[in-house]
Amino acid sequence: MKKKYELTILSRIDSKVSEFKQYLDKITKDRNIKLDIEEVKENYSLAYPILEQDKATFYYGTLYGDEEDVKEVIQIFNINEDVLRYLLVISNDNK
């Protein structure tokens, strides 16, 4: 059963927004997941350094997919060096 998730990602500022969005599109479409990026903020100042970075690119969006497919995407985020941090939560709309 497909669920709705809210996704927040902080990526390194040296990764280009267009290339990173293409990367996100590829890993989600390959797994039959729909991703809607709703907000992007470049040069976002971090409250504290993450992996020696004090600025990042901020992405916020909605993800629709099966739990197993979403787990695969999270595993990919864990090994991607451009992803500084991510937060994925199940949306309240699933109730």
Side-chain angles (χ1 to χ4, degrees):
M1 180 174 106
K2 290 194 179 219
K3 291 185 179 178
K4 180 179 176 182
Y5 300 84
E6 293 179 28
L7 175 66
T8 304
I9 300 173
L10 293 174
S11 75
R12 295 182 183 274
I13 58 171
D14 53 352
S15 61
K16 293 186 166 71
V17 172
S18 60
E19 291 174 5
F20 194 77
K21 282 177 129 180
Q22 286 176 350
Y23 161 77
L24 292 174
D25 282 342
K26 180 172 179 7
I27 65 170
T28 54
K29 284 182 182 172
D30 287 350
R31 286 156 188 82
N32 199 28
I33 294 174
K34 184 175 186 253
L35 174 64
D36 295 326
I37 297 293
E38 299 166 23
E39 185 174 359
V40 177
K41 291 183 182 178
E42 295 184 72
N43 289 320
Y44 186 77
S45 293
L46 302 174
Y48 57 89
I50 302 172
L51 300 175
E52 301 178 4
Q53 305 287 312
D54 58 352
K55 291 186 182 278
T57 303
F58 170 90
Y59 297 85
Y60 174 78
T62 307
L63 201 86
Y64 302 89
D66 291 324
E67 186 175 347
E68 291 302 314
D69 295 330
V70 172
K71 284 181 182 178
E72 284 183 35
V73 170
I74 293 306
Q75 289 175 343
I76 293 169
F77 287 164
N78 285 330
I79 60 173
N80 185 320
E81 293 179 359
D82 286 334
V83 177
L84 299 174
R85 290 281 191 277
Y86 66 87
L87 175 66
L88 181 74
V89 295
I90 297 174
S91 175
N92 286 334
D93 295 347
N94 290 314
K95 294 181 179 181

